């Protein structure tokens, strides 16, 4: 009886160790890195690729990291409306071909570093790639342009700082480039190299 009880305890311990309170230990999340770390990885770690998940317009007219592959996670639409207290053209729900196109170009074992404007879209895209079986996915959390100034990861402090900055007309309020790829002074360009363009855009037009 004591032997059976011992086996039961061992099995329960093993199960708890494997799953924990929140689920299996192999339930991964994208690794978070800063732009400077991403740049260093592309220069020093084999099979490492930087993927820009912004729209075509952002990639072309705002600029992009040198050597970044364009795979839009969303597209701009023709819908113009108020969102978050500002008027803007809206983004589509998602590029339904995103996963399919990434899988055609990159291996599941490649180091994929995803970057967008401020780390939000790239986080969602990175999470989907992990769930699709890609093993080494990173989110460049400060993005290409950085977050709107001022910014804090603490939601309460973030709201408070932004109220103060707006009320006191602080220079740079609601502008970007206070962190991110450009802020670090890392190499970026407007050049549109076909090697890095979204593959469907390079296909010949149907007759």
């Amino acid at each position: 009886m004591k032997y059976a009880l011992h086996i039961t305890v061992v099995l329960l311990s093993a199960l708890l160790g494997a799953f924990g309170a929140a689920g299996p230990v192999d339930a991964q999340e994208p690794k978070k890195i800063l732009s400077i770390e991403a740049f260093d990885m592309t220069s020093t770690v084999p099979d490492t690729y930087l993927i820009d998940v912004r729209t075509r317009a952002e990639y072309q007219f705002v600029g992009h990291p040198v050597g970044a592959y364009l795979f839009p996670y969303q597209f701009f639409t023709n819908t113009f409306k108020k969102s978050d207290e500002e008027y803007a053209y809206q983004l589509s729900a998602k590029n339904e071909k995103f996963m399919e196109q990434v899988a055609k170009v990159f291996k599941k074992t490649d180091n994929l570093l995803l970057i967008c404007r401020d780390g939000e879209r790239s986080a969602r895209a990175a999470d989907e790639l992990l769930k699709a079986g890609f093993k080494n996915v990173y989110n460049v959390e400060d993005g290409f342009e950085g977050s709107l100034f001022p910014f804090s990861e603490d939601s309460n402090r973030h709201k408070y700082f932004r109220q103060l900055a707006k009320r006191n007309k602080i220079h740079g309020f609601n502008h970007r480039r206070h962190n991110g790829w450009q802020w670090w002074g890392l190499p970026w360009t407007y050049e549109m190299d076909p090697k890095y363009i979204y593959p469907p855009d390079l296909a010949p037009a149907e007759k």
Side-chain angles (χ1 to χ4, degrees), residues 121-142:
R121 278 171 283 173
S122 55
R124 296 196 299 273
D127 185 61
E128 289 196 22
L129 287 174
L130 271 180
K131 290 176 180 175
F134 286 86
K135 306 298 182 185
N136 306 303
V137 185
Y138 299 76
N139 176 36
V140 183
E141 60 179 338
D142 54 343

mmCIF file with all atom_site columns, all heavy atoms in Angstrom, residues 121-142:
data_model
loop_
_atom_site.group_PDB
_atom_site.id
_atom_site.type_symbol
_atom_site.label_atom_id
_atom_site.label_alt_id
_atom_site.label_comp_id
_atom_site.label_asym_id
_atom_site.label_entity_id
_atom_site.label_seq_id
_atom_site.pdbx_PDB_ins_code
_atom_site.Cartn_x
_atom_site.Cartn_y
_atom_site.Cartn_z
_atom_site.occupancy
_atom_site.B_iso_or_equiv
_atom_site.pdbx_formal_charge
_atom_site.auth_seq_id
_atom_site.auth_comp_id
_atom_site.auth_asym_id
_atom_site.auth_atom_id
_atom_site.pdbx_PDB_model_num
ATOM 1   N N   . ARG A 1 121 ? 2.132  44.938 -33.727 1.00 0.00 ? 121 ARG A N   1
ATOM 2   C CA  . ARG A 1 121 ? 1.803  43.972 -34.773 1.00 0.00 ? 121 ARG A CA  1
ATOM 3   C C   . ARG A 1 121 ? 2.803  42.824 -34.817 1.00 0.00 ? 121 ARG A C   1
ATOM 4   O O   . ARG A 1 121 ? 2.434  41.662 -35.030 1.00 0.00 ? 121 ARG A O   1
ATOM 5   C CB  . ARG A 1 121 ? 1.765  44.673 -36.141 1.00 0.00 ? 121 ARG A CB  1
ATOM 6   C CG  . ARG A 1 121 ? 0.475  45.399 -36.458 1.00 0.00 ? 121 ARG A CG  1
ATOM 7   C CD  . ARG A 1 121 ? 0.601  46.229 -37.713 1.00 0.00 ? 121 ARG A CD  1
ATOM 8   N NE  . ARG A 1 121 ? 1.337  47.469 -37.477 1.00 0.00 ? 121 ARG A NE  1
ATOM 9   C CZ  . ARG A 1 121 ? 1.714  48.319 -38.435 1.00 0.00 ? 121 ARG A CZ  1
ATOM 10  N NH1 . ARG A 1 121 ? 1.436  48.054 -39.706 1.00 0.00 ? 121 ARG A NH1 1
ATOM 11  N NH2 . ARG A 1 121 ? 2.351  49.429 -38.135 1.00 0.00 ? 121 ARG A NH2 1
ATOM 12  N N   . SER A 1 122 ? 4.067  43.147 -34.610 1.00 0.00 ? 122 SER A N   1
ATOM 13  C CA  . SER A 1 122 ? 5.095  42.102 -34.651 1.00 0.00 ? 122 SER A CA  1
ATOM 14  C C   . SER A 1 122 ? 4.902  41.093 -33.525 1.00 0.00 ? 122 SER A C   1
ATOM 15  O O   . SER A 1 122 ? 5.198  39.908 -33.682 1.00 0.00 ? 122 SER A O   1
ATOM 16  C CB  . SER A 1 122 ? 6.494  42.718 -34.587 1.00 0.00 ? 122 SER A CB  1
ATOM 17  O OG  . SER A 1 122 ? 6.638  43.555 -33.457 1.00 0.00 ? 122 SER A OG  1
ATOM 18  N N   . ALA A 1 123 ? 4.387  41.530 -32.377 1.00 0.00 ? 123 ALA A N   1
ATOM 19  C CA  . ALA A 1 123 ? 4.122  40.608 -31.271 1.00 0.00 ? 123 ALA A CA  1
ATOM 20  C C   . ALA A 1 123 ? 3.041  39.608 -31.662 1.00 0.00 ? 123 ALA A C   1
ATOM 21  O O   . ALA A 1 123 ? 3.157  38.405 -31.387 1.00 0.00 ? 123 ALA A O   1
ATOM 22  C CB  . ALA A 1 123 ? 3.706  41.384 -30.023 1.00 0.00 ? 123 ALA A CB  1
ATOM 23  N N   . ARG A 1 124 ? 1.974  40.090 -32.300 1.00 0.00 ? 124 ARG A N   1
ATOM 24  C CA  . ARG A 1 124 ? 0.895  39.192 -32.724 1.00 0.00 ? 124 ARG A CA  1
ATOM 25  C C   . ARG A 1 124 ? 1.384  38.229 -33.799 1.00 0.00 ? 124 ARG A C   1
ATOM 26  O O   . ARG A 1 124 ? 1.074  37.032 -33.767 1.00 0.00 ? 124 ARG A O   1
ATOM 27  C CB  . ARG A 1 124 ? -0.298 40.004 -33.228 1.00 0.00 ? 124 ARG A CB  1
ATOM 28  C CG  . ARG A 1 124 ? -0.951 40.875 -32.157 1.00 0.00 ? 124 ARG A CG  1
ATOM 29  C CD  . ARG A 1 124 ? -2.324 41.336 -32.577 1.00 0.00 ? 124 ARG A CD  1
ATOM 30  N NE  . ARG A 1 124 ? -2.319 42.149 -33.770 1.00 0.00 ? 124 ARG A NE  1
ATOM 31  C CZ  . ARG A 1 124 ? -2.148 43.478 -33.785 1.00 0.00 ? 124 ARG A CZ  1
ATOM 32  N NH1 . ARG A 1 124 ? -1.972 44.128 -32.641 1.00 0.00 ? 124 ARG A NH1 1
ATOM 33  N NH2 . ARG A 1 124 ? -2.164 44.160 -34.914 1.00 0.00 ? 124 ARG A NH2 1
ATOM 34  N N   . ALA A 1 125 ? 2.148  38.757 -34.752 1.00 0.00 ? 125 ALA A N   1
ATOM 35  C CA  . ALA A 1 125 ? 2.667  37.914 -35.830 1.00 0.00 ? 125 ALA A CA  1
ATOM 36  C C   . ALA A 1 125 ? 3.625  36.863 -35.285 1.00 0.00 ? 125 ALA A C   1
ATOM 37  O O   . ALA A 1 125 ? 3.601  35.702 -35.698 1.00 0.00 ? 125 ALA A O   1
ATOM 38  C CB  . ALA A 1 125 ? 3.363  38.781 -36.873 1.00 0.00 ? 125 ALA A CB  1
ATOM 39  N N   . ALA A 1 126 ? 4.485  37.258 -34.345 1.00 0.00 ? 126 ALA A N   1
ATOM 40  C CA  . ALA A 1 126 ? 5.447  36.324 -33.757 1.00 0.00 ? 126 ALA A CA  1
ATOM 41  C C   . ALA A 1 126 ? 4.733  35.202 -33.016 1.00 0.00 ? 126 ALA A C   1
ATOM 42  O O   . ALA A 1 126 ? 5.129  34.033 -33.091 1.00 0.00 ? 126 ALA A O   1
ATOM 43  C CB  . ALA A 1 126 ? 6.395  37.073 -32.818 1.00 0.00 ? 126 ALA A CB  1
ATOM 44  N N   . ASP A 1 127 ? 3.670  35.543 -32.306 1.00 0.00 ? 127 ASP A N   1
ATOM 45  C CA  . ASP A 1 127 ? 2.907  34.545 -31.570 1.00 0.00 ? 127 ASP A CA  1
ATOM 46  C C   . ASP A 1 127 ? 2.302  33.516 -32.527 1.00 0.00 ? 127 ASP A C   1
ATOM 47  O O   . ASP A 1 127 ? 2.317  32.311 -32.258 1.00 0.00 ? 127 ASP A O   1
ATOM 48  C CB  . ASP A 1 127 ? 1.810  35.241 -30.763 1.00 0.00 ? 127 ASP A CB  1
ATOM 49  C CG  . ASP A 1 127 ? 1.041  34.278 -29.877 1.00 0.00 ? 127 ASP A CG  1
ATOM 50  O OD1 . ASP A 1 127 ? 1.666  33.659 -29.003 1.00 0.00 ? 127 ASP A OD1 1
ATOM 51  O OD2 . ASP A 1 127 ? -0.181 34.144 -30.067 1.00 0.00 ? 127 ASP A OD2 1
ATOM 52  N N   . GLU A 1 128 ? 1.803  33.966 -33.669 1.00 0.00 ? 128 GLU A N   1
ATOM 53  C CA  . GLU A 1 128 ? 1.216  33.052 -34.645 1.00 0.00 ? 128 GLU A CA  1
ATOM 54  C C   . GLU A 1 128 ? 2.269  32.137 -35.256 1.00 0.00 ? 128 GLU A C   1
ATOM 55  O O   . GLU A 1 128 ? 2.018  30.955 -35.510 1.00 0.00 ? 128 GLU A O   1
ATOM 56  C CB  . GLU A 1 128 ? 0.483  33.838 -35.741 1.00 0.00 ? 128 GLU A CB  1
ATOM 57  C CG  . GLU A 1 128 ? -0.796 34.492 -35.257 1.00 0.00 ? 128 GLU A CG  1
ATOM 58  C CD  . GLU A 1 128 ? -1.691 34.935 -36.397 1.00 0.00 ? 128 GLU A CD  1
ATOM 59  O OE1 . GLU A 1 128 ? -1.545 34.395 -37.526 1.00 0.00 ? 128 GLU A OE1 1
ATOM 60  O OE2 . GLU A 1 128 ? -2.535 35.811 -36.174 1.00 0.00 ? 128 GLU A OE2 1
ATOM 61  N N   . LEU A 1 129 ? 3.457  32.677 -35.499 1.00 0.00 ? 129 LEU A N   1
ATOM 62  C CA  . LEU A 1 129 ? 4.530  31.853 -36.061 1.00 0.00 ? 129 LEU A CA  1
ATOM 63  C C   . LEU A 1 129 ? 4.939  30.747 -35.089 1.00 0.00 ? 129 LEU A C   1
ATOM 64  O O   . LEU A 1 129 ? 5.185  29.606 -35.496 1.00 0.00 ? 129 LEU A O   1
ATOM 65  C CB  . LEU A 1 129 ? 5.737  32.721 -36.411 1.00 0.00 ? 129 LEU A CB  1
ATOM 66  C CG  . LEU A 1 129 ? 5.592  33.621 -37.644 1.00 0.00 ? 129 LEU A CG  1
ATOM 67  C CD1 . LEU A 1 129 ? 6.797  34.527 -37.790 1.00 0.00 ? 129 LEU A CD1 1
ATOM 68  C CD2 . LEU A 1 129 ? 5.406  32.776 -38.899 1.00 0.00 ? 129 LEU A CD2 1
ATOM 69  N N   . LEU A 1 130 ? 5.013  31.083 -33.815 1.00 0.00 ? 130 LEU A N   1
ATOM 70  C CA  . LEU A 1 130 ? 5.332  30.060 -32.812 1.00 0.00 ? 130 LEU A CA  1
ATOM 71  C C   . LEU A 1 130 ? 4.274  28.952 -32.803 1.00 0.00 ? 130 LEU A C   1
ATOM 72  O O   . LEU A 1 130 ? 4.601  27.768 -32.770 1.00 0.00 ? 130 LEU A O   1
ATOM 73  C CB  . LEU A 1 130 ? 5.422  30.692 -31.426 1.00 0.00 ? 130 LEU A CB  1
ATOM 74  C CG  . LEU A 1 130 ? 6.774  31.226 -30.972 1.00 0.00 ? 130 LEU A CG  1
ATOM 75  C CD1 . LEU A 1 130 ? 6.659  31.805 -29.568 1.00 0.00 ? 130 LEU A CD1 1
ATOM 76  C CD2 . LEU A 1 130 ? 7.847  30.144 -31.008 1.00 0.00 ? 130 LEU A CD2 1
ATOM 77  N N   . LYS A 1 131 ? 3.016  29.338 -32.840 1.00 0.00 ? 131 LYS A N   1
ATOM 78  C CA  . LYS A 1 131 ? 1.938  28.360 -32.823 1.00 0.00 ? 131 LYS A CA  1
ATOM 79  C C   . LYS A 1 131 ? 1.936  27.506 -34.088 1.00 0.00 ? 131 LYS A C   1
ATOM 80  O O   . LYS A 1 131 ? 1.427  26.373 -34.078 1.00 0.00 ? 131 LYS A O   1
ATOM 81  C CB  . LYS A 1 131 ? 0.593  29.074 -32.666 1.00 0.00 ? 131 LYS A CB  1
ATOM 82  C CG  . LYS A 1 131 ? 0.392  29.696 -31.286 1.00 0.00 ? 131 LYS A CG  1
ATOM 83  C CD  . LYS A 1 131 ? -0.915 30.466 -31.203 1.00 0.00 ? 131 LYS A CD  1
ATOM 84  C CE  . LYS A 1 131 ? -1.092 31.081 -29.812 1.00 0.00 ? 131 LYS A CE  1
ATOM 85  N NZ  . LYS A 1 131 ? -2.306 31.932 -29.730 1.00 0.00 ? 131 LYS A NZ  1
ATOM 86  N N   . ALA A 1 132 ? 2.515  28.032 -35.166 1.00 0.00 ? 132 ALA A N   1
ATOM 87  C CA  . ALA A 1 132 ? 2.582  27.291 -36.425 1.00 0.00 ? 132 ALA A CA  1
ATOM 88  C C   . ALA A 1 132 ? 3.802  26.371 -36.482 1.00 0.00 ? 132 ALA A C   1
ATOM 89  O O   . ALA A 1 132 ? 4.000  25.674 -37.480 1.00 0.00 ? 132 ALA A O   1
ATOM 90  C CB  . ALA A 1 132 ? 2.607  28.261 -37.601 1.00 0.00 ? 132 ALA A CB  1
ATOM 91  N N   . GLY A 1 133 ? 4.624  26.384 -35.432 1.00 0.00 ? 133 GLY A N   1
ATOM 92  C CA  . GLY A 1 133 ? 5.735  25.447 -35.378 1.00 0.00 ? 133 GLY A CA  1
ATOM 93  C C   . GLY A 1 133 ? 7.113  26.027 -35.599 1.00 0.00 ? 133 GLY A C   1
ATOM 94  O O   . GLY A 1 133 ? 8.108  25.295 -35.564 1.00 0.00 ? 133 GLY A O   1
ATOM 95  N N   . PHE A 1 134 ? 7.209  27.343 -35.808 1.00 0.00 ? 134 PHE A N   1
ATOM 96  C CA  . PHE A 1 134 ? 8.530  27.969 -35.916 1.00 0.00 ? 134 PHE A CA  1
ATOM 97  C C   . PHE A 1 134 ? 9.154  28.007 -34.517 1.00 0.00 ? 134 PHE A C   1
ATOM 98  O O   . PHE A 1 134 ? 8.498  28.364 -33.538 1.00 0.00 ? 134 PHE A O   1
ATOM 99  C CB  . PHE A 1 134 ? 8.412  29.367 -36.509 1.00 0.00 ? 134 PHE A CB  1
ATOM 100 C CG  . PHE A 1 134 ? 8.126  29.364 -37.985 1.00 0.00 ? 134 PHE A CG  1
ATOM 101 C CD1 . PHE A 1 134 ? 6.818  29.286 -38.443 1.00 0.00 ? 134 PHE A CD1 1
ATOM 102 C CD2 . PHE A 1 134 ? 9.159  29.410 -38.908 1.00 0.00 ? 134 PHE A CD2 1
ATOM 103 C CE1 . PHE A 1 134 ? 6.547  29.255 -39.804 1.00 0.00 ? 134 PHE A CE1 1
ATOM 104 C CE2 . PHE A 1 134 ? 8.897  29.390 -40.279 1.00 0.00 ? 134 PHE A CE2 1
ATOM 105 C CZ  . PHE A 1 134 ? 7.588  29.300 -40.723 1.00 0.00 ? 134 PHE A CZ  1
ATOM 106 N N   . LYS A 1 135 ? 10.413 27.621 -34.430 1.00 0.00 ? 135 LYS A N   1
ATOM 107 C CA  . LYS A 1 135 ? 11.031 27.375 -33.124 1.00 0.00 ? 135 LYS A CA  1
ATOM 108 C C   . LYS A 1 135 ? 11.684 28.598 -32.494 1.00 0.00 ? 135 LYS A C   1
ATOM 109 O O   . LYS A 1 135 ? 11.693 28.738 -31.268 1.00 0.00 ? 135 LYS A O   1
ATOM 110 C CB  . LYS A 1 135 ? 12.087 26.267 -33.263 1.00 0.00 ? 135 LYS A CB  1
ATOM 111 C CG  . LYS A 1 135 ? 11.572 24.980 -33.891 1.00 0.00 ? 135 LYS A CG  1
ATOM 112 C CD  . LYS A 1 135 ? 10.481 24.357 -33.057 1.00 0.00 ? 135 LYS A CD  1
ATOM 113 C CE  . LYS A 1 135 ? 10.011 23.038 -33.666 1.00 0.00 ? 135 LYS A CE  1
ATOM 114 N NZ  . LYS A 1 135 ? 8.861  22.463 -32.926 1.00 0.00 ? 135 LYS A NZ  1
ATOM 115 N N   . ASN A 1 136 ? 12.257 29.462 -33.314 1.00 0.00 ? 136 ASN A N   1
ATOM 116 C CA  . ASN A 1 136 ? 13.076 30.562 -32.794 1.00 0.00 ? 136 ASN A CA  1
ATOM 117 C C   . ASN A 1 136 ? 12.547 31.900 -33.306 1.00 0.00 ? 136 ASN A C   1
ATOM 118 O O   . ASN A 1 136 ? 13.013 32.425 -34.320 1.00 0.00 ? 136 ASN A O   1
ATOM 119 C CB  . ASN A 1 136 ? 14.536 30.371 -33.213 1.00 0.00 ? 136 ASN A CB  1
ATOM 120 C CG  . ASN A 1 136 ? 15.068 29.007 -32.810 1.00 0.00 ? 136 ASN A CG  1
ATOM 121 O OD1 . ASN A 1 136 ? 15.035 28.651 -31.639 1.00 0.00 ? 136 ASN A OD1 1
ATOM 122 N ND2 . ASN A 1 136 ? 15.542 28.240 -33.779 1.00 0.00 ? 136 ASN A ND2 1
ATOM 123 N N   . VAL A 1 137 ? 11.543 32.411 -32.615 1.00 0.00 ? 137 VAL A N   1
ATOM 124 C CA  . VAL A 1 137 ? 10.865 33.635 -33.047 1.00 0.00 ? 137 VAL A CA  1
ATOM 125 C C   . VAL A 1 137 ? 11.083 34.742 -32.018 1.00 0.00 ? 137 VAL A C   1
ATOM 126 O O   . VAL A 1 137 ? 10.907 34.523 -30.812 1.00 0.00 ? 137 VAL A O   1
ATOM 127 C CB  . VAL A 1 137 ? 9.351  33.393 -33.239 1.00 0.00 ? 137 VAL A CB  1
ATOM 128 C CG1 . VAL A 1 137 ? 8.682  34.642 -33.799 1.00 0.00 ? 137 VAL A CG1 1
ATOM 129 C CG2 . VAL A 1 137 ? 9.122  32.196 -34.166 1.00 0.00 ? 137 VAL A CG2 1
ATOM 130 N N   . TYR A 1 138 ? 11.447 35.926 -32.504 1.00 0.00 ? 138 TYR A N   1
ATOM 131 C CA  . TYR A 1 138 ? 11.740 37.057 -31.636 1.00 0.00 ? 138 TYR A CA  1
ATOM 132 C C   . TYR A 1 138 ? 10.885 38.257 -32.039 1.00 0.00 ? 138 TYR A C   1
ATOM 133 O O   . TYR A 1 138 ? 10.671 38.493 -33.231 1.00 0.00 ? 138 TYR A O   1
ATOM 134 C CB  . TYR A 1 138 ? 13.209 37.467 -31.752 1.00 0.00 ? 138 TYR A CB  1
ATOM 135 C CG  . TYR A 1 138 ? 14.197 36.400 -31.344 1.00 0.00 ? 138 TYR A CG  1
ATOM 136 C CD1 . TYR A 1 138 ? 14.471 35.323 -32.179 1.00 0.00 ? 138 TYR A CD1 1
ATOM 137 C CD2 . TYR A 1 138 ? 14.877 36.467 -30.129 1.00 0.00 ? 138 TYR A CD2 1
ATOM 138 C CE1 . TYR A 1 138 ? 15.390 34.339 -31.816 1.00 0.00 ? 138 TYR A CE1 1
ATOM 139 C CE2 . TYR A 1 138 ? 15.792 35.499 -29.755 1.00 0.00 ? 138 TYR A CE2 1
ATOM 140 C CZ  . TYR A 1 138 ? 16.043 34.441 -30.600 1.00 0.00 ? 138 TYR A CZ  1
ATOM 141 O OH  . TYR A 1 138 ? 16.959 33.480 -30.235 1.00 0.00 ? 138 TYR A OH  1
ATOM 142 N N   . ASN A 1 139 ? 10.427 39.000 -31.045 1.00 0.00 ? 139 ASN A N   1
ATOM 143 C CA  . ASN A 1 139 ? 9.708  40.248 -31.305 1.00 0.00 ? 139 ASN A CA  1
ATOM 144 C C   . ASN A 1 139 ? 10.607 41.425 -30.946 1.00 0.00 ? 139 ASN A C   1
ATOM 145 O O   . ASN A 1 139 ? 11.041 41.566 -29.807 1.00 0.00 ? 139 ASN A O   1
ATOM 146 C CB  . ASN A 1 139 ? 8.429  40.317 -30.472 1.00 0.00 ? 139 ASN A CB  1
ATOM 147 C CG  . ASN A 1 139 ? 7.707  41.642 -30.646 1.00 0.00 ? 139 ASN A CG  1
ATOM 148 O OD1 . ASN A 1 139 ? 7.702  42.213 -31.733 1.00 0.00 ? 139 ASN A OD1 1
ATOM 149 N ND2 . ASN A 1 139 ? 7.109  42.147 -29.584 1.00 0.00 ? 139 ASN A ND2 1
ATOM 150 N N   . VAL A 1 140 ? 10.891 42.283 -31.942 1.00 0.00 ? 140 VAL A N   1
ATOM 151 C CA  . VAL A 1 140 ? 11.669 43.498 -31.692 1.00 0.00 ? 140 VAL A CA  1
ATOM 152 C C   . VAL A 1 140 ? 10.707 44.498 -31.068 1.00 0.00 ? 140 VAL A C   1
ATOM 153 O O   . VAL A 1 140 ? 9.984  45.210 -31.763 1.00 0.00 ? 140 VAL A O   1
ATOM 154 C CB  . VAL A 1 140 ? 12.281 44.044 -32.999 1.00 0.00 ? 140 VAL A CB  1
ATOM 155 C CG1 . VAL A 1 140 ? 13.144 45.273 -32.709 1.00 0.00 ? 140 VAL A CG1 1
ATOM 156 C CG2 . VAL A 1 140 ? 13.116 42.956 -33.685 1.00 0.00 ? 140 VAL A CG2 1
ATOM 157 N N   . GLU A 1 141 ? 10.688 44.533 -29.737 1.00 0.00 ? 141 GLU A N   1
ATOM 158 C CA  . GLU A 1 141 ? 9.603  45.199 -29.025 1.00 0.00 ? 141 GLU A CA  1
ATOM 159 C C   . GLU A 1 141 ? 9.625  46.718 -29.113 1.00 0.00 ? 141 GLU A C   1
ATOM 160 O O   . GLU A 1 141 ? 8.596  47.360 -28.877 1.00 0.00 ? 141 GLU A O   1
ATOM 161 C CB  . GLU A 1 141 ? 9.564  44.756 -27.567 1.00 0.00 ? 141 GLU A CB  1
ATOM 162 C CG  . GLU A 1 141 ? 10.813 45.040 -26.774 1.00 0.00 ? 141 GLU A CG  1
ATOM 163 C CD  . GLU A 1 141 ? 10.669 44.583 -25.325 1.00 0.00 ? 141 GLU A CD  1
ATOM 164 O OE1 . GLU A 1 141 ? 9.515  44.445 -24.858 1.00 0.00 ? 141 GLU A OE1 1
ATOM 165 O OE2 . GLU A 1 141 ? 11.688 44.382 -24.664 1.00 0.00 ? 141 GLU A OE2 1
ATOM 166 N N   . ASP A 1 142 ? 10.764 47.340 -29.431 1.00 0.00 ? 142 ASP A N   1
ATOM 167 C CA  . ASP A 1 142 ? 10.754 48.802 -29.575 1.00 0.00 ? 142 ASP A CA  1
ATOM 168 C C   . ASP A 1 142 ? 10.455 49.242 -31.000 1.00 0.00 ? 142 ASP A C   1
ATOM 169 O O   . ASP A 1 142 ? 10.257 50.420 -31.266 1.00 0.00 ? 142 ASP A O   1
ATOM 170 C CB  . ASP A 1 142 ? 12.064 49.422 -29.077 1.00 0.00 ? 142 ASP A CB  1
ATOM 171 C CG  . ASP A 1 142 ? 13.299 48.815 -29.717 1.00 0.00 ? 142 ASP A CG  1
ATOM 172 O OD1 . ASP A 1 142 ? 13.211 47.713 -30.304 1.00 0.00 ? 142 ASP A OD1 1
ATOM 173 O OD2 . ASP A 1 142 ? 14.378 49.432 -29.630 1.00 0.00 ? 142 ASP A OD2 1
#
